């Protein structure tokens, strides 16, 4: 159970009950009480993420939401006052229209998929921690298929290697990995050495295959991290401990989506 995590091997101080291995966030940056760090996801988003498909989807969702809500169209028309003769929007008009577009996105249920994905991600985490999870259909099928995949991979996870914030000091970033695990099947077919640990990332987005360059770099940051964060109390209290040796050539992504 999440409240009964055991400390990593060699640790002298276990996290207090209820605390797991994620670092706190402050102003959208990881913070350990002394220093703040850029998030791995932010770094990679600024470097190499292809957002074309996502941008196109957002445009369609705004259009759909506006078509459903004439009041939002009216609001845009009323707020669309130019700040000068060139037709540039005033700051106030820009804020109003941004808010109306967010409402249009919500009307088109743009957040429904993200909410479901976050919930499924949490469910897989709790399942790997040994909890019994009861989900409604069809999400129960998703979780059952996730368990079937990890069973086929002969995956083993230690509780202290689930949802851990890790630091890569050379480039000043921190990210939270999903799992560090061992797969007997990957060892049997020669992808890794027997008992070798690999970084495991659980994805719930629609099609992660469109973003493999980002995902590969994300897993590489985790695999090359220097240490892991261990919270020892509230208000960012904690300490670092070494990352266990993991493969720097093989990573694993498990895609949980629509019962597959």
């Amino acid at each position: 159970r999440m409240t009964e995590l055991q400390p990593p091997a060699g640790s002298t101080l276990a996290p207090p009950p209820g605390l797991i291995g994620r670092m706190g966030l402050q102003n959208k940056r990881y913070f350990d009480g002394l220093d703040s760090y850029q998030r791995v996801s932010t770094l990679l988003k600024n470097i190499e993420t292809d957002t074309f498909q996502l941008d196109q989807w957002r445009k369609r969702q705004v259009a759909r939401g506006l078509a459903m809500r004439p009041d939002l169209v009216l609001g845009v028309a009323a707020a669309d006052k130019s700040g000068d003769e060139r037709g540039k929007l005033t700051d106030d008009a820009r804020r109003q229209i941004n808010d109306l577009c967010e409402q249009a996105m919500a009307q088109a249920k743009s957040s429904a998929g993200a909410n479901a994905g976050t919930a499924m991600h949490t469910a897989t985490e709790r399942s790997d921690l040994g909890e019994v999870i009861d989900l409604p259909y069809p999400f129960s099928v998703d979780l059952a298929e996730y368990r079937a995949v990890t069973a086929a991979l002969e995956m083993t996870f230690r509780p202290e290697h689930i949802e851990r914030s890790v630091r890569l000091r050379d480039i000043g970033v921190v990210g939270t990995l999903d799992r560090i695990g061992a797969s007997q099947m990957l060892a049997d077919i020669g992808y890794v050495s027997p008992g070798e640990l690999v970084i495991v990332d659980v994805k719930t987005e629609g099609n992660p295959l469109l973003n493999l360059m980002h995902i590969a770099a994300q897993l590489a940051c985790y695999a090359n991290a220097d240490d892991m964060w261990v919270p020892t109390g509230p208000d960012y209290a904690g300490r670092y401990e070494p990352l266990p040796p993991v493969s720097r050539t093989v990573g694993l992504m498990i895609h949980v989506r629509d019962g597959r």
Side-chain angles (χ1 to χ4, degrees):
R1 286 165 41 189
M2 296 181 75
T3 56
E4 297 177 348
L5 298 188
Q6 297 301 311
S11 296
T12 58
L13 185 62
L19 289 179
I20 53 178
R22 286 189 283 259
M23 192 183 294
L25 289 172
Q26 187 179 80
N27 299 323
K28 297 183 179 180
R29 292 173 65 92
Y30 282 102
F31 186 64
D32 63 5
L34 295 175
D35 300 304
S36 67
Y37 300 89
Q38 186 178 27
R39 301 169 73 174
V40 167
S41 57
T42 302
L43 171 69
L44 299 179
K45 188 178 297 182
N46 292 334
I47 294 175
E48 195 55 66
T49 300
D50 180 3
T51 62
F52 176 79
Q53 295 294 340
L54 179 60
D55 292 340
Q56 295 300 306
W57 174 80
R58 285 172 173 162
K59 291 175 184 177
R60 292 193 297 270
Q61 292 297 87
V62 170
R64 290 180 59 211
L66 290 173
M68 298 175 189
R69 292 276 302 274
D71 62 305
L72 297 180
V73 177
L74 176 63
V76 172
D80 189 7
K81 49 185 180 296
S82 60
D84 56 34
E85 65 278 3
R86 293 171 297 177
K88 182 179 179 181
L89 290 173
T90 63
D91 290 342
D92 184 56
R94 189 178 299 108
R95 283 191 293 269
Q96 290 182 51
I97 293 175
N98 286 344
D99 179 66
L100 292 166
C101 287
E102 289 294 330
Q103 292 184 53
M105 291 276 285
Q107 179 64 37
K109 295 183 172 59
S110 299
S111 61
N115 291 340
T118 299
M120 283 306 307
H121 202 281
T122 300
T124 62
E125 174 192 339
R126 293 178 58 195
S127 176
D128 287 338
L129 284 168
E131 294 189 43
V132 177
I133 312 298
D134 185 17
L135 297 180
Y137 180 86
F139 305 107
S140 56
V141 178
D142 293 343
L143 186 58
E145 289 300 313
Y146 171 79
R147 290 171 174 158
V149 167
T150 54
L153 288 164
E154 299 177 82
M155 293 293 311
T156 55
F157 301 109
R158 294 174 60 178
E160 63 268 22
H161 291 163
I162 295 176
E163 291 290 326
R164 296 296 302 271
S165 293
V166 296
R167 179 175 61 168
L168 183 53
R169 292 194 296 266
D170 283 349
I171 55 177
V173 297
V174 168
T176 299
L177 56 81
D178 292 337
R179 315 278 192 275
I180 300 174
S183 167
Q184 184 60 46
M185 190 197 82
L186 292 181
D188 289 343
I189 61 179
Y191 276 29
V192 296
S193 302
E196 185 176 18
L197 298 175
V198 295
I199 299 294
V200 182
D201 200 38
V202 179
K203 295 295 186 188
T204 58
E205 61 203 67
N207 188 0
L209 298 180
L210 296 175
N211 209 18
L212 284 182
M213 185 173 290
H214 175 104
I215 294 170
Q218 181 185 18
L219 270 62
C221 285
Y222 299 153
N224 286 275
D226 300 291
D227 41 31
M228 302 191 297
W229 176 252
V230 181
T232 57
D235 300 326
Y236 309 112
R239 59 183 174 81
Y240 292 100
E241 63 185 15
L243 187 77
V246 299
S247 173
R248 293 185 175 180
T249 58
V250 175
L252 180 64
M253 179 184 72
I254 302 178
H255 184 208
V256 182
R257 185 75 176 185
D258 301 331
R260 300 193 299 276

